[in-house]
Amino acid sequence: MSKNRKLYLFDAMALIYRAHFAFINNPLINSKGFNVSAVTGFTNTLHEILTKYEPTHAAVVFDAPGPTDRVAEHDFYKANRQAAPEDLVASIPYIKQIVAAMNIPCIELAGYEADDLIGTIAKKAAKQGFDVYMVTPDKDFAQLVEEHIFIHKPPAHGKGHEILDLPAILEKWEVDRPEQVIDILGMWGDAVDNIPGIPGVGEKTAKKFIKEYGSIENLLAHTDELKGKMKENVEGNKDLALISKQLATIILDAPVIFDVNEYEIIEPDKKKLTKIFTELEFKTLGKRIIGDSYNFNAAEPNPSGQMDLFSVNQSEPEAEHKEPQETKDIHNVKHHYHLVQTEKEIKELIKILQTADHFCFDSETTGIDANDCELVGLSFAVKAHEAYYLPIPSNRPDALKTLAPFKPVFENPNIIKIGQNIKFDMLVLKWYDIDVQGNIFDTMVAHYILDADTRHNMNALAASYLGYNAVSIESLIGKKGPKQGNMRDVPLDKITEYAAEDADITYQLYSILKDDIKTNGFEKLYDEVEGPLIPVLTQMEKEGVAVDTQFLNEYSEELEDDIATLKHDIFEAAGESFNMDSPKQLGDILFGEDKMAIPYKGKKTKTGQYSTKEDTLSALKDDHPIINNILEYRELAKLKSTYVDALPKLVNPKSGLIHTTFAQTIAATGRLSSIQPNLQNIPIRTEKGRKVRKAFIPRSSDNVLLAADYSQVELRIVAAISNDEKMIAAFQHGVDIHATTAANVFGVQLDEVDSNMRRKAKVVNFGIIYGISAFGLSQRLNIPRKEAAEIIDAYFEQYSGIKKYMTDIVESAREKGYVETIMGRKRYLRDINSKNFTSRSFAERNAINTPIQGSAADIIKLAMIKIQKKIRSEQLASKMVLQVHDELLFDVPKHELDIIQPIVQKEMQGAVELKVPLLVEMGIGHNWLEAH
């Protein structure tokens, strides 16, 4: 018998839940609106373990539908468990299909939990010479561990795979034998499974009792040795304790057969996997599991050829699915793609474009940075299934000569320009002296408006709307593809095919999406906000912002000295040096009994380590000077590496400036995101963090920076949309809203409000709109939870309109399935009626916050459009260079200050009309820190 036989038993539901909630803040939604988070996470875990740990045998074990014997005997068992999220339930049939296609048995048995089946199989297999690994995050399985049975915990919370053997279990649970874990669980209880345990006995006390008495039964036989309330609790709950132990015990004789041959790992059925992965739209994951032979094909489209974007909850898929129809692609769809090279062909193409009232175009480049690449070619489409590709010479004078006849076409304001992520193409053309004008229709942005939470890339849209599988460069020229997006590496015939298809598909999507925008009432949002914003953002990305690299280099040295001093002080206080960036070493130093032994107030991690997270350490900052030094060390180390040292490396070699990309289609609320690099995340809370802003400077000594910031815009929106009379009055009279709130909440006169009251009121004002709880407020203000609850109650009593808004907007979302902003931007909340409390609560918080945050996004976008229009019409040299949430930054010639300031103030404050005035604060400086 081989000594290397390894059996892996996967605890299916525990892993599925873990995968689903790992993506709860940013669920993975495919183009059909199906949440694939659980399927993706589970499949990744399964594949990673199969390839990395190479089991010889495996099975995936599920809980069977229906009640178990435990529930039949004790109806309270698991009675309080939340209903599974609907998206998770809908994923299970797909997961079972994937497991079956991988030729791994799915095991389930009516009347038994997965724990019982895993326990029974594990013991049988171990007796037959297997090393058995139970893949689960569930602590209950510790009772099963023995010499040849292990727990394999998959990665979580930034930690890698963890394998717990018998010594690890005995140490972790502080027991002599693993069966005693059952006694600890029986005394401790389990709120999730509604195992009552013994009142007043937690993990620490349960372990203490087991050390002294060895078992629950022996404890119950010696209750005379106990004292006070504990004696009363144990003696009064003897039956409950024994029942709890019974419920915590994993059954080891379930009627399940362990068939060695059935569990043996064999090659997966790649054909079946391909069909499933195609339907789920797993492109990267499919290739990783199946290999280079995997050919991604999109799922079968809806009969209408369009997605159902607006249903609140997708129905559960059937266990068996229809065979996908043959997907359309470049090989089976009739098309005419033309390579345009001769002077005659160019003239004919220009004539076609000039006479069209709209056309689609796309660019091919030498890289993926629009501010630092060269144009390789342009593709055009004016009707479906026909497109043109124009190669552009690499020599700049020749490139400009080739593009010159197209400049009037691109700059004709009467022709609609269509593209997918068209801002990239417009920005590339700006470097070739072409300023694309006229109405802009971006299919990516349009789809984002229609359904912000799903994918907007062209391949996904082509699959969903057209049932079409777009060609990839890799499939045309081999798996290597062009390096760093350099399309000069691609042969001319292949790039023609690829580029022309992109223009063709985008043109076809335009025909569908423009109608969907109109049908669903989004014309105003697109025509007045998102569409006109595209050229504004294009211009801002082209302008870039100047940075003082010399200052950053000097600041880096200053931070290096500060970090060295802090490390010296920390090591001196600790009495030894250690790895500051190791949470385990740091935790042991701070809280270990044989080290500093600072009283530990937090919870240990799941692996039994002391937590050294910021919130844990912040709660201890008054207990020992070393804590503040550690927190400051972390701040400075991150500041140095993430910003001070990184920014000089991001200066564009062509312009000498830093150019960010403003993404319109990332945040579901409508807020703009800054990426590559993220300039919206420059620190501002601490003095040393704010100092980074000093590095952002005007591009000329004759210029200054002008910062314009909306004052408390989200609170003003709250007041307006909630119709709360007190808050509206406060803003209308221009009084300090935080002081006014403090006076109302704490029942004092306005002149009696002290700084501590105002600080608390400010936290409440901003926290309420993000759904802050009494616990959250108590943590934020470092006050008792009861006091925090009283503050929140008093707040809602004084601002009853806000309380009513929060209730009404959630109820409206339940009925409609979405919420909307002042400009009609909708966010669909798929979990708003979920039976799962966690999923539903998250959706409710989004229902409250999205109209506020989304309306703030609408407002500043409108202001940006109006300001840029004025700058252009008055031919000003001033440039809008950055947008950071509620703030705009301008690079302004000093002689234009008196002109631009009134424009900025007027357009920002007049962006929309609310029941309260919008207030803008402005500052001027020789750097961003001075101006802010």
Side-chain angles (χ1 to χ4, degrees), residues 314-330:
Q314 301 293 325
S315 59
E316 180 179 342
E318 300 173 0
E320 297 295 330
H321 298 276
K322 297 177 182 178
E323 290 289 319
Q325 296 176 351
E326 182 184 16
T327 305
K328 294 182 287 185
D329 59 30
I330 199 167

Side-chain angles (χ1 to χ4, degrees), residues 361-632:
F361 78 98
D362 184 42
S363 64
E364 304 301 336
T365 61
T366 58
I368 55 176
D369 182 352
N371 284 302
D372 190 22
C373 66
E374 295 176 7
L375 189 60
V376 173
L378 290 170
S379 55
F380 301 89
V382 294
K383 62 182 179 180
H385 308 302
E386 186 165 10
Y388 306 83
Y389 179 68
L390 172 73
I392 304 296
S394 57
N395 178 277
R396 183 170 175 83
D398 290 340
L400 292 173
K401 183 178 179 182
T402 300
L403 289 167
F406 291 87
K407 183 177 171 72
V409 178
F410 278 115
E411 296 184 352
N412 186 335
N414 299 316
I415 302 176
I416 299 170
K417 316 302 187 304
I418 304 159
Q420 167 78 13
N421 189 22
I422 197 171
K423 177 159 61 67
F424 177 91
D425 309 298
M426 293 169 62
L427 184 51
V428 170
L429 288 175
K430 274 187 176 292
W431 286 96
Y432 288 84
D433 303 327
I434 293 177
D435 184 17
V436 178
Q437 296 183 42
N439 289 335
I440 304 296
F441 192 94
D442 189 324
T443 49
M444 182 177 74
V445 172
H447 185 259
Y448 165 75
I449 290 174
L450 289 164
D451 189 12
D453 286 305
T454 56
R455 294 186 298 164
H456 318 296
N457 66 75
M458 191 194 73
N459 288 357
L461 298 184
S464 299
Y465 284 93
L466 307 173
Y468 188 91
N469 181 30
V471 71
S472 68
I473 282 293
E474 289 80 7
S475 67
L476 288 176
I477 64 171
K479 63 181 181 180
K480 289 185 178 181
K483 186 178 180 181
Q484 296 295 316
N486 187 348
M487 299 302 286
R488 289 207 197 282
D489 297 341
V490 182
L492 192 56
D493 60 330
K494 300 298 183 183
I495 196 173
T496 299
E497 199 171 354
Y498 173 81
E501 185 194 59
D502 277 0
D504 177 19
I505 290 172
T506 304
Y507 182 88
Q508 293 180 58
L509 289 171
Y510 160 74
S511 301
I512 298 170
L513 292 172
K514 70 181 177 65
D515 289 339
D516 277 3
I517 288 287
K518 182 176 182 180
T519 302
N520 291 288
F522 292 123
E523 280 186 299
K524 181 178 180 181
L525 179 60
Y526 189 91
D527 293 344
E528 296 183 18
V529 183
E530 298 296 350
L533 185 66
I534 294 170
V536 175
L537 297 179
T538 305
Q539 187 64 35
M540 290 173 67
E541 291 179 19
K542 173 69 162 55
E543 297 298 352
V545 60
V547 290
D548 185 342
T549 54
Q550 181 180 342
F551 165 78
L552 287 170
N553 292 333
E554 292 170 356
Y555 192 30
S556 179
E557 293 176 4
E558 178 185 328
L559 290 174
E560 186 68 41
D561 291 341
D562 291 343
I563 289 168
T565 301
L566 284 167
K567 288 181 74 172
H568 175 271
D569 293 346
I570 290 166
F571 293 158
E572 190 173 73
E576 62 182 285
S577 60
F578 59 96
N579 182 358
M580 285 282 298
D581 300 316
S582 166
K584 185 178 188 309
Q585 288 188 35
L586 179 59
D588 290 341
I589 289 286
L590 295 178
F591 309 117
E593 292 181 6
D594 58 340
K595 299 293 183 179
M596 297 188 71
I598 297 172
Y600 184 66
K601 299 177 183 178
K603 291 182 179 180
K604 287 190 176 182
T605 67
K606 292 185 177 181
T607 57
Q609 294 181 21
Y610 296 106
S611 171
T612 58
K613 291 182 178 179
E614 184 178 355
D615 54 351
T616 303
L617 294 184
S618 295
L620 302 170
K621 61 184 179 181
D622 296 329
D623 293 5
H624 197 288
I626 196 174
I627 303 294
N628 270 324
N629 283 343
I630 290 167
L631 291 172
E632 187 176 358

Side-chain angles (χ1 to χ4, degrees), residues 865-882:
I865 293 164
K866 293 179 178 181
I867 292 169
Q868 188 61 34
K869 185 178 180 180
K870 280 284 188 180
I871 288 175
R872 188 160 187 151
S873 66
E874 298 194 19
Q875 298 182 332
L876 299 177
S878 298
K879 303 178 188 302
M880 183 160 50
V881 293
L882 282 184

Side-chain angles (χ1 to χ4, degrees), residues 124-371:
K124 287 182 178 182
K127 288 178 181 178
Q128 296 184 38
F130 281 87
D131 284 334
V132 182
Y133 296 83
M134 304 173 293
V135 184
T136 180
D138 191 341
K139 65 182 184 296
D140 295 11
F141 284 86
Q143 64 188 270
L144 301 175
V145 174
E146 57 181 60
E147 184 181 357
H148 292 287
I149 300 178
F150 310 86
I151 291 176
H152 184 135
K153 296 178 71 173
H157 310 294
K159 299 184 182 297
H161 292 267
E162 183 181 11
I163 296 176
L164 301 177
D165 58 8
L166 183 57
I169 292 297
L170 298 181
E171 180 184 354
K172 176 180 173 62
W173 289 87
E174 301 171 25
V175 292
D176 297 323
R177 57 189 189 279
E179 294 81 9
Q180 290 176 311
V181 171
I182 305 172
D183 296 271
I184 293 174
L185 294 172
M187 286 187 274
W188 180 8
D190 189 330
V192 175
D193 288 343
N194 207 32
I195 298 176
I198 300 173
V201 176
E203 179 184 8
K204 188 175 180 180
T205 304
K207 288 179 177 178
K208 175 175 171 286
F209 281 152
I210 289 303
K211 283 181 181 178
E212 293 180 16
Y213 299 103
S215 69
I216 285 181
E217 290 81 0
N218 201 31
L219 168 67
L220 299 180
H222 292 83
T223 56
D224 58 307
E225 299 175 11
L226 305 178
K227 297 179 181 179
K229 186 69 174 176
M230 183 58 70
K231 180 178 181 180
E232 180 184 330
N233 283 346
V234 175
E235 288 187 337
N237 293 280
K238 287 185 176 181
D239 291 342
L240 210 54
L242 293 172
I243 290 171
S244 296
K245 179 175 179 178
Q246 178 191 346
L247 292 173
T249 302
I250 293 175
I251 295 170
L252 301 179
D253 59 355
V256 60
I257 298 171
F258 172 54
D259 185 333
V260 174
N261 295 325
E262 182 186 358
Y263 288 54
E264 187 174 359
I265 297 287
I266 61 174
E267 281 294 309
D269 188 326
K270 293 186 177 181
K271 185 176 180 181
K272 287 182 179 178
L273 281 176
T274 297
K275 288 182 179 179
I276 301 166
F277 290 165
T278 292
E279 184 171 352
L280 294 171
E281 301 173 7
F282 287 170
K283 189 172 185 179
T284 304
L285 181 59
K287 182 158 285 190
R288 184 159 67 247
I289 293 176
I290 296 173
D292 292 336
S293 63
Y294 177 62
N295 180 22
F296 171 72
N297 287 299
E300 178 184 353
N302 291 334
S304 65
Q306 299 179 29
M307 292 180 291
D308 178 11
L309 297 173
F310 307 105
S311 58
V312 181
N313 282 310
Q314 301 293 325
S315 59
E316 180 179 342
E318 300 173 0
E320 297 295 330
H321 298 276
K322 297 177 182 178
E323 290 289 319
Q325 296 176 351
E326 182 184 16
T327 305
K328 294 182 287 185
D329 59 30
I330 199 167
H331 304 295
N332 57 29
V333 173
K334 189 176 181 180
H335 61 274
H336 300 284
Y337 296 159
H338 311 280
L339 175 60
V340 177
Q341 287 183 293
T342 67
E343 186 176 340
K344 180 181 178 183
E345 289 168 341
I346 290 174
K347 286 182 177 178
E348 288 177 355
L349 176 57
I350 290 172
K351 185 176 180 180
I352 291 170
L353 298 177
Q354 285 175 331
T355 55
D357 59 5
H358 60 272
F359 67 83
C360 175
F361 78 98
D362 184 42
S363 64
E364 304 301 336
T365 61
T366 58
I368 55 176
D369 182 352
N371 284 302

Side-chain angles (χ1 to χ4, degrees), residues 88-114:
L88 183 151
V89 174
S91 299
I92 294 173
Y94 285 108
I95 290 171
K96 287 184 175 179
Q97 287 185 70
I98 289 170
V99 172
M102 296 181 80
N103 287 317
I104 297 172
C106 290
I107 309 297
E108 61 182 65
L109 186 63
Y112 292 88
E113 297 181 30

